[in-house]
Amino acid sequence: MSHTFAENGDTAPPEAPAHAPTPAPLRPEVPDEQWNDWRWHMRKRITTVEKARQWISLTPDEEKAIAGSAGKYRWSVTPYYASLMDPHDPACPVRQQAVPALGELMEHAGAEVDPVGDMVFRKTNRVVHKYPDRVIMLITEACPVYCRHCTRKFHTTAVDGTYFERNEGEDFGEDLRYIAEHPEIRDVLLTGGDPLSYRDGKLEEIVSALRAIPSVEIIRIGSRFPVLLPQRITDELCAMLERYHPIWLNTHFNHPKEITPEAERAVDRLLRHGIPVGNQTVLLRGINDDLATMRTLMTELLRIRVRPYYLYHCDNVTGVSHFMTSVEKGWEIMEGLQGHITGFGVPQYVLTTQLGKIPISRPYHRQTPDGLLLRNYKGEQMLVDEAAYPVRETEPVGKTEPVRETEPVGETEPVGESEPVGKTEGDEGR
C-alpha cells in the first residue's frame, strides 16, 4: 500500500477496505535515493496534525492530545516509523509509541519527573555517575522520534526543555576531564536523546576523545535509530565506529512489528563491523504486555542476532504512567519466557530506581532447613539436599594445614619456632 507524500498541505488518509487484513507498511512515492537517506527522513519528520493526517486517520482524542502536548512535550515521527503504523487503528503498537495520547496529560499517583535519579547523580553538564565503574553521558537532546514512553520525558517537559545541567552547546572538556580524573570509570554509555542524531564527524570527535582516556575500556551507544530510522546505520558510520573498538550498541525494539527487513539489515551491518547489538525492551500496557507478543519479540530478536538484555518495568514518569502495567504482569510474562525459549533470549526483568536497576523476577529457589527447594519452568519442584549442595560456605570436612611435599601426609608443619599446629588434648592452652 502506498500513497503520494505531499510536501506541502494535506492529503486524505487511505480508506480502509471492509474487513481489511493488517495493512502492509505505507511507503510514500518518493525516489529510493531519498527514502534510503536518513537525513531526508530527519528533515521530513511529522510534527503537526496536518502532516500526521498524510499517514493516519487521527482520532479526536489523538488530535486533542497533540494540541495538549504543544508547549509541553516534544513530538516528532520519522516517515519511516510512520510507515509502520496502522493508519486506521489507534491501538497499533507502533502508533501508540509515537503519537501523543490523552494519558500523557493526566496526573497519576506516585509519578515523578525523575524517578531514576539522573539529576541526583549528575556530576557535570553531561555525566551521570550512579554505578562504581561506569557513567552515562547525555550528549544530545535530539531524537528521530520522541517516544511517548521515554523515561527521560522530564527533559522535554517544555519545548525549550533540556537534557543538560546547562545546555547542549557547552564544551565537552569538563565532562571528559571528570571521566579521566576518575580511573575507576571503565565503561561509558553515550545516550541522551539519541547520540546517532549527530553527524558522523561530530560523533567521532566524542568517541575518539573517550578512547584517548586510558582507563575507558568500553564505549557503549544507546540508540533507537535501528528501530526508528534504520537508514541511519550506514557503512560509513559503522566503519568509523569500528576504529574505536570495543564499541557496543544497545537498541530498543518493543514489538515484533518493528523488526523489518530494513531494521534487520541495519543490525547485520553493525555486526559485520564487530559491534555487538543488545536490546532493552520496556513493558508497555497495550503494546507488548501479553506473553505471545513478548515471546515473539524475543525469538525474532534472536533470529536477527540481537541479544535481549533488559525488560524494563515501565517507569512511573510524569506523562508516561498510563503505559505502566502491574509488576505481577511482568512476572507472568517472565514465567512464560524462562525455560520456554533459549536461555540467552530471556531478558533480565528490572525496575529502575535511584538505587539502580533492581532485578525483580520471581526466584526459582527457596531455602528450607533441609536444603534448597527448586522449581522449573513447568512448576515441578525438587529438594536439593543441604549435604550435597551446601547453601553456606563452610570449611571442608577433614581439612588440614598445608604440608611440605617432602613430609609424609599427616605430619604438621611448625608455625614459628616452638608452637606446633594441631596440639592434642592436654597441650598447654587447650
PDB file of all heavy atoms in Angstrom, residues 385-411:
ATOM      1  N   ASP A 385      19.451 -31.530  48.552  1.00  0.00           N
ATOM      2  CA  ASP A 385      19.895 -31.777  49.916  1.00  0.00           C
ATOM      3  C   ASP A 385      21.011 -30.838  50.350  1.00  0.00           C
ATOM      4  O   ASP A 385      21.950 -30.592  49.598  1.00  0.00           O
ATOM      5  CB  ASP A 385      20.362 -33.237  50.035  1.00  0.00           C
ATOM      6  CG  ASP A 385      20.657 -33.609  51.463  1.00  0.00           C
ATOM      7  OD1 ASP A 385      19.696 -33.884  52.217  1.00  0.00           O
ATOM      8  OD2 ASP A 385      21.846 -33.600  51.832  1.00  0.00           O
ATOM      9  N   GLU A 386      20.897 -30.325  51.576  1.00  0.00           N
ATOM     10  CA  GLU A 386      21.899 -29.413  52.124  1.00  0.00           C
ATOM     11  C   GLU A 386      23.285 -30.041  52.156  1.00  0.00           C
ATOM     12  O   GLU A 386      24.291 -29.374  51.930  1.00  0.00           O
ATOM     13  CB  GLU A 386      21.478 -28.987  53.531  1.00  0.00           C
ATOM     14  CG  GLU A 386      22.509 -28.221  54.329  1.00  0.00           C
ATOM     15  CD  GLU A 386      22.716 -26.802  53.835  1.00  0.00           C
ATOM     16  OE1 GLU A 386      21.839 -26.280  53.130  1.00  0.00           O
ATOM     17  OE2 GLU A 386      23.774 -26.216  54.157  1.00  0.00           O
ATOM     18  N   ALA A 387      23.355 -31.344  52.417  1.00  0.00           N
ATOM     19  CA  ALA A 387      24.658 -32.013  52.487  1.00  0.00           C
ATOM     20  C   ALA A 387      25.329 -32.078  51.116  1.00  0.00           C
ATOM     21  O   ALA A 387      26.550 -31.966  51.008  1.00  0.00           O
ATOM     22  CB  ALA A 387      24.478 -33.426  53.054  1.00  0.00           C
ATOM     23  N   ALA A 388      24.507 -32.240  50.068  1.00  0.00           N
ATOM     24  CA  ALA A 388      25.070 -32.343  48.722  1.00  0.00           C
ATOM     25  C   ALA A 388      25.425 -30.977  48.146  1.00  0.00           C
ATOM     26  O   ALA A 388      26.441 -30.816  47.462  1.00  0.00           O
ATOM     27  CB  ALA A 388      24.095 -33.067  47.805  1.00  0.00           C
ATOM     28  N   TYR A 389      24.574 -29.991  48.394  1.00  0.00           N
ATOM     29  CA  TYR A 389      24.776 -28.638  47.862  1.00  0.00           C
ATOM     30  C   TYR A 389      24.593 -27.627  49.001  1.00  0.00           C
ATOM     31  O   TYR A 389      23.526 -27.050  49.151  1.00  0.00           O
ATOM     32  CB  TYR A 389      23.799 -28.336  46.724  1.00  0.00           C
ATOM     33  CG  TYR A 389      24.026 -29.159  45.484  1.00  0.00           C
ATOM     34  CD1 TYR A 389      23.325 -30.343  45.279  1.00  0.00           C
ATOM     35  CD2 TYR A 389      24.951 -28.753  44.527  1.00  0.00           C
ATOM     36  CE1 TYR A 389      23.541 -31.103  44.143  1.00  0.00           C
ATOM     37  CE2 TYR A 389      25.174 -29.506  43.388  1.00  0.00           C
ATOM     38  CZ  TYR A 389      24.463 -30.680  43.203  1.00  0.00           C
ATOM     39  OH  TYR A 389      24.678 -31.437  42.080  1.00  0.00           O
ATOM     40  N   PRO A 390      25.644 -27.445  49.824  1.00  0.00           N
ATOM     41  CA  PRO A 390      25.505 -26.521  50.966  1.00  0.00           C
ATOM     42  C   PRO A 390      25.187 -25.105  50.501  1.00  0.00           C
ATOM     43  O   PRO A 390      25.710 -24.633  49.486  1.00  0.00           O
ATOM     44  CB  PRO A 390      26.887 -26.574  51.641  1.00  0.00           C
ATOM     45  CG  PRO A 390      27.527 -27.834  51.138  1.00  0.00           C
ATOM     46  CD  PRO A 390      26.976 -28.057  49.759  1.00  0.00           C
ATOM     47  N   VAL A 391      24.327 -24.449  51.258  1.00  0.00           N
ATOM     48  CA  VAL A 391      23.987 -23.065  50.950  1.00  0.00           C
ATOM     49  C   VAL A 391      25.066 -22.125  51.467  1.00  0.00           C
ATOM     50  O   VAL A 391      25.477 -21.189  50.788  1.00  0.00           O
ATOM     51  CB  VAL A 391      22.618 -22.699  51.560  1.00  0.00           C
ATOM     52  CG1 VAL A 391      22.341 -21.200  51.399  1.00  0.00           C
ATOM     53  CG2 VAL A 391      21.514 -23.518  50.902  1.00  0.00           C
ATOM     54  N   ARG A 392      25.535 -22.402  52.691  1.00  0.00           N
ATOM     55  CA  ARG A 392      26.539 -21.534  53.303  1.00  0.00           C
ATOM     56  C   ARG A 392      27.937 -22.087  53.113  1.00  0.00           C
ATOM     57  O   ARG A 392      28.138 -23.297  53.050  1.00  0.00           O
ATOM     58  CB  ARG A 392      26.245 -21.362  54.793  1.00  0.00           C
ATOM     59  CG  ARG A 392      24.948 -20.612  55.069  1.00  0.00           C
ATOM     60  CD  ARG A 392      24.712 -20.453  56.567  1.00  0.00           C
ATOM     61  NE  ARG A 392      23.493 -19.706  56.817  1.00  0.00           N
ATOM     62  CZ  ARG A 392      22.285 -20.248  56.842  1.00  0.00           C
ATOM     63  NH1 ARG A 392      22.137 -21.556  56.636  1.00  0.00           N
ATOM     64  NH2 ARG A 392      21.217 -19.498  57.068  1.00  0.00           N
ATOM     65  N   GLU A 393      28.889 -21.176  53.028  1.00  0.00           N
ATOM     66  CA  GLU A 393      30.284 -21.560  52.878  1.00  0.00           C
ATOM     67  C   GLU A 393      30.782 -22.123  54.205  1.00  0.00           C
ATOM     68  O   GLU A 393      30.662 -21.502  55.265  1.00  0.00           O
ATOM     69  CB  GLU A 393      31.112 -20.334  52.481  1.00  0.00           C
ATOM     70  CG  GLU A 393      32.494 -20.642  51.956  1.00  0.00           C
ATOM     71  CD  GLU A 393      32.458 -21.343  50.609  1.00  0.00           C
ATOM     72  OE1 GLU A 393      31.489 -21.142  49.854  1.00  0.00           O
ATOM     73  OE2 GLU A 393      33.407 -22.092  50.326  1.00  0.00           O
ATOM     74  N   THR A 394      31.335 -23.351  54.177  1.00  0.00           N
ATOM     75  CA  THR A 394      31.883 -23.979  55.378  1.00  0.00           C
ATOM     76  C   THR A 394      33.243 -24.560  55.070  1.00  0.00           C
ATOM     77  O   THR A 394      33.605 -24.773  53.903  1.00  0.00           O
ATOM     78  CB  THR A 394      30.962 -25.105  55.883  1.00  0.00           C
ATOM     79  OG1 THR A 394      30.824 -26.089  54.839  1.00  0.00           O
ATOM     80  CG2 THR A 394      29.584 -24.575  56.258  1.00  0.00           C
ATOM     81  N   GLU A 395      34.018 -24.827  56.125  1.00  0.00           N
ATOM     82  CA  GLU A 395      35.310 -25.481  55.935  1.00  0.00           C
ATOM     83  C   GLU A 395      35.082 -26.922  55.515  1.00  0.00           C
ATOM     84  O   GLU A 395      34.251 -27.625  56.112  1.00  0.00           O
ATOM     85  CB  GLU A 395      36.113 -25.453  57.240  1.00  0.00           C
ATOM     86  CG  GLU A 395      36.575 -24.067  57.661  1.00  0.00           C
ATOM     87  CD  GLU A 395      37.585 -23.501  56.681  1.00  0.00           C
ATOM     88  OE1 GLU A 395      38.445 -24.265  56.197  1.00  0.00           O
ATOM     89  OE2 GLU A 395      37.504 -22.304  56.384  1.00  0.00           O
ATOM     90  N   PRO A 396      35.786 -27.394  54.484  1.00  0.00           N
ATOM     91  CA  PRO A 396      35.625 -28.796  54.077  1.00  0.00           C
ATOM     92  C   PRO A 396      35.954 -29.746  55.216  1.00  0.00           C
ATOM     93  O   PRO A 396      36.854 -29.485  56.007  1.00  0.00           O
ATOM     94  CB  PRO A 396      36.621 -28.951  52.922  1.00  0.00           C
ATOM     95  CG  PRO A 396      36.864 -27.564  52.444  1.00  0.00           C
ATOM     96  CD  PRO A 396      36.723 -26.675  53.637  1.00  0.00           C
ATOM     97  N   VAL A 397      35.205 -30.833  55.323  1.00  0.00           N
ATOM     98  CA  VAL A 397      35.433 -31.822  56.365  1.00  0.00           C
ATOM     99  C   VAL A 397      36.800 -32.447  56.182  1.00  0.00           C
ATOM    100  O   VAL A 397      37.191 -32.836  55.079  1.00  0.00           O
ATOM    101  CB  VAL A 397      34.337 -32.909  56.329  1.00  0.00           C
ATOM    102  CG1 VAL A 397      34.619 -33.992  57.364  1.00  0.00           C
ATOM    103  CG2 VAL A 397      32.975 -32.281  56.548  1.00  0.00           C
ATOM    104  N   GLY A 398      37.558 -32.545  57.302  1.00  0.00           N
ATOM    105  CA  GLY A 398      38.864 -33.200  57.249  1.00  0.00           C
ATOM    106  C   GLY A 398      39.978 -32.338  56.723  1.00  0.00           C
ATOM    107  O   GLY A 398      41.072 -32.820  56.454  1.00  0.00           O
ATOM    108  N   LYS A 399      39.729 -31.036  56.579  1.00  0.00           N
ATOM    109  CA  LYS A 399      40.770 -30.157  56.044  1.00  0.00           C
ATOM    110  C   LYS A 399      41.910 -30.033  57.040  1.00  0.00           C
ATOM    111  O   LYS A 399      41.696 -29.850  58.231  1.00  0.00           O
ATOM    112  CB  LYS A 399      40.190 -28.776  55.748  1.00  0.00           C
ATOM    113  CG  LYS A 399      41.211 -27.799  55.189  1.00  0.00           C
ATOM    114  CD  LYS A 399      40.581 -26.449  54.919  1.00  0.00           C
ATOM    115  CE  LYS A 399      41.611 -25.460  54.391  1.00  0.00           C
ATOM    116  NZ  LYS A 399      41.012 -24.126  54.152  1.00  0.00           N
ATOM    117  N   THR A 400      43.156 -30.118  56.556  1.00  0.00           N
ATOM    118  CA  THR A 400      44.339 -29.958  57.394  1.00  0.00           C
ATOM    119  C   THR A 400      45.161 -28.809  56.870  1.00  0.00           C
ATOM    120  O   THR A 400      44.939 -28.324  55.770  1.00  0.00           O
ATOM    121  CB  THR A 400      45.195 -31.237  57.396  1.00  0.00           C
ATOM    122  OG1 THR A 400      45.646 -31.476  56.056  1.00  0.00           O
ATOM    123  CG2 THR A 400      44.397 -32.442  57.886  1.00  0.00           C
ATOM    124  N   GLU A 401      46.105 -28.372  57.668  1.00  0.00           N
ATOM    125  CA  GLU A 401      47.005 -27.339  57.211  1.00  0.00           C
ATOM    126  C   GLU A 401      47.850 -27.855  56.066  1.00  0.00           C
ATOM    127  O   GLU A 401      48.142 -29.056  55.983  1.00  0.00           O
ATOM    128  CB  GLU A 401      47.923 -26.895  58.372  1.00  0.00           C
ATOM    129  CG  GLU A 401      47.198 -26.204  59.506  1.00  0.00           C
ATOM    130  CD  GLU A 401      46.678 -24.878  59.070  1.00  0.00           C
ATOM    131  OE1 GLU A 401      47.336 -24.209  58.251  1.00  0.00           O
ATOM    132  OE2 GLU A 401      45.575 -24.505  59.528  1.00  0.00           O
ATOM    133  N   PRO A 402      48.271 -26.989  55.141  1.00  0.00           N
ATOM    134  CA  PRO A 402      49.126 -27.458  54.036  1.00  0.00           C
ATOM    135  C   PRO A 402      50.440 -28.004  54.572  1.00  0.00           C
ATOM    136  O   PRO A 402      50.970 -27.526  55.572  1.00  0.00           O
ATOM    137  CB  PRO A 402      49.345 -26.188  53.208  1.00  0.00           C
ATOM    138  CG  PRO A 402      49.010 -25.064  54.118  1.00  0.00           C
ATOM    139  CD  PRO A 402      47.996 -25.570  55.078  1.00  0.00           C
ATOM    140  N   VAL A 403      50.951 -29.017  53.896  1.00  0.00           N
ATOM    141  CA  VAL A 403      52.202 -29.657  54.328  1.00  0.00           C
ATOM    142  C   VAL A 403      53.232 -29.543  53.234  1.00  0.00           C
ATOM    143  O   VAL A 403      52.908 -29.330  52.069  1.00  0.00           O
ATOM    144  CB  VAL A 403      51.966 -31.148  54.665  1.00  0.00           C
ATOM    145  CG1 VAL A 403      50.998 -31.296  55.832  1.00  0.00           C
ATOM    146  CG2 VAL A 403      51.439 -31.897  53.444  1.00  0.00           C
ATOM    147  N   ARG A 404      54.516 -29.699  53.632  1.00  0.00           N
ATOM    148  CA  ARG A 404      55.577 -29.695  52.633  1.00  0.00           C
ATOM    149  C   ARG A 404      55.514 -30.965  51.813  1.00  0.00           C
ATOM    150  O   ARG A 404      55.161 -32.029  52.311  1.00  0.00           O
ATOM    151  CB  ARG A 404      56.941 -29.617  53.339  1.00  0.00           C
ATOM    152  CG  ARG A 404      57.164 -28.301  54.071  1.00  0.00           C
ATOM    153  CD  ARG A 404      58.465 -28.364  54.821  1.00  0.00           C
ATOM    154  NE  ARG A 404      58.697 -27.118  55.551  1.00  0.00           N
ATOM    155  CZ  ARG A 404      59.675 -26.954  56.430  1.00  0.00           C
ATOM    156  NH1 ARG A 404      60.490 -27.953  56.719  1.00  0.00           N
ATOM    157  NH2 ARG A 404      59.810 -25.787  57.041  1.00  0.00           N
ATOM    158  N   GLU A 405      55.915 -30.850  50.555  1.00  0.00           N
ATOM    159  CA  GLU A 405      55.835 -32.016  49.669  1.00  0.00           C
ATOM    160  C   GLU A 405      56.715 -33.157  50.149  1.00  0.00           C
ATOM    161  O   GLU A 405      56.427 -34.308  49.905  1.00  0.00           O
ATOM    162  CB  GLU A 405      56.243 -31.616  48.253  1.00  0.00           C
ATOM    163  CG  GLU A 405      55.241 -30.660  47.602  1.00  0.00           C
ATOM    164  CD  GLU A 405      55.616 -30.352  46.180  1.00  0.00           C
ATOM    165  OE1 GLU A 405      56.601 -30.943  45.692  1.00  0.00           O
ATOM    166  OE2 GLU A 405      54.925 -29.538  45.558  1.00  0.00           O
ATOM    167  N   THR A 406      57.806 -32.839  50.858  1.00  0.00           N
ATOM    168  CA  THR A 406      58.753 -33.885  51.275  1.00  0.00           C
ATOM    169  C   THR A 406      58.342 -34.568  52.567  1.00  0.00           C
ATOM    170  O   THR A 406      58.921 -35.562  52.948  1.00  0.00           O
ATOM    171  CB  THR A 406      60.152 -33.268  51.483  1.00  0.00           C
ATOM    172  OG1 THR A 406      60.049 -32.193  52.426  1.00  0.00           O
ATOM    173  CG2 THR A 406      60.691 -32.734  50.171  1.00  0.00           C
ATOM    174  N   GLU A 407      57.326 -34.016  53.259  1.00  0.00           N
ATOM    175  CA  GLU A 407      56.901 -34.605  54.517  1.00  0.00           C
ATOM    176  C   GLU A 407      55.786 -35.603  54.278  1.00  0.00           C
ATOM    177  O   GLU A 407      54.944 -35.403  53.417  1.00  0.00           O
ATOM    178  CB  GLU A 407      56.402 -33.510  55.463  1.00  0.00           C
ATOM    179  CG  GLU A 407      57.506 -32.572  55.919  1.00  0.00           C
ATOM    180  CD  GLU A 407      56.961 -31.501  56.831  1.00  0.00           C
ATOM    181  OE1 GLU A 407      55.725 -31.316  56.828  1.00  0.00           O
ATOM    182  OE2 GLU A 407      57.755 -30.861  57.525  1.00  0.00           O
ATOM    183  N   PRO A 408      55.757 -36.681  55.043  1.00  0.00           N
ATOM    184  CA  PRO A 408      54.663 -37.646  54.915  1.00  0.00           C
ATOM    185  C   PRO A 408      53.334 -36.998  55.258  1.00  0.00           C
ATOM    186  O   PRO A 408      53.269 -36.122  56.103  1.00  0.00           O
ATOM    187  CB  PRO A 408      55.012 -38.733  55.943  1.00  0.00           C
ATOM    188  CG  PRO A 408      56.457 -38.526  56.241  1.00  0.00           C
ATOM    189  CD  PRO A 408      56.746 -37.078  56.030  1.00  0.00           C
ATOM    190  N   VAL A 409      52.279 -37.429  54.565  1.00  0.00           N
ATOM    191  CA  VAL A 409      50.951 -36.910  54.843  1.00  0.00           C
ATOM    192  C   VAL A 409      50.573 -37.221  56.283  1.00  0.00           C
ATOM    193  O   VAL A 409      50.765 -38.335  56.763  1.00  0.00           O
ATOM    194  CB  VAL A 409      49.912 -37.523  53.888  1.00  0.00           C
ATOM    195  CG1 VAL A 409      48.512 -37.066  54.268  1.00  0.00           C
ATOM    196  CG2 VAL A 409      50.254 -37.151  52.468  1.00  0.00           C
ATOM    197  N   GLY A 410      50.037 -36.222  56.968  1.00  0.00           N
ATOM    198  CA  GLY A 410      49.631 -36.412  58.352  1.00  0.00           C
ATOM    199  C   GLY A 410      50.520 -35.675  59.323  1.00  0.00           C
ATOM    200  O   GLY A 410      50.119 -35.366  60.437  1.00  0.00           O
ATOM    201  N   GLU A 411      51.769 -35.370  58.901  1.00  0.00           N
ATOM    202  CA  GLU A 411      52.638 -34.579  59.754  1.00  0.00           C
ATOM    203  C   GLU A 411      52.338 -33.106  59.566  1.00  0.00           C
ATOM    204  O   GLU A 411      52.019 -32.671  58.475  1.00  0.00           O
ATOM    205  CB  GLU A 411      54.110 -34.861  59.423  1.00  0.00           C
ATOM    206  CG  GLU A 411      54.564 -36.259  59.815  1.00  0.00           C
ATOM    207  CD  GLU A 411      56.058 -36.402  59.661  1.00  0.00           C
ATOM    208  OE1 GLU A 411      56.755 -35.373  59.585  1.00  0.00           O
ATOM    209  OE2 GLU A 411      56.517 -37.530  59.612  1.00  0.00           O
TER     210      GLU A 411
END
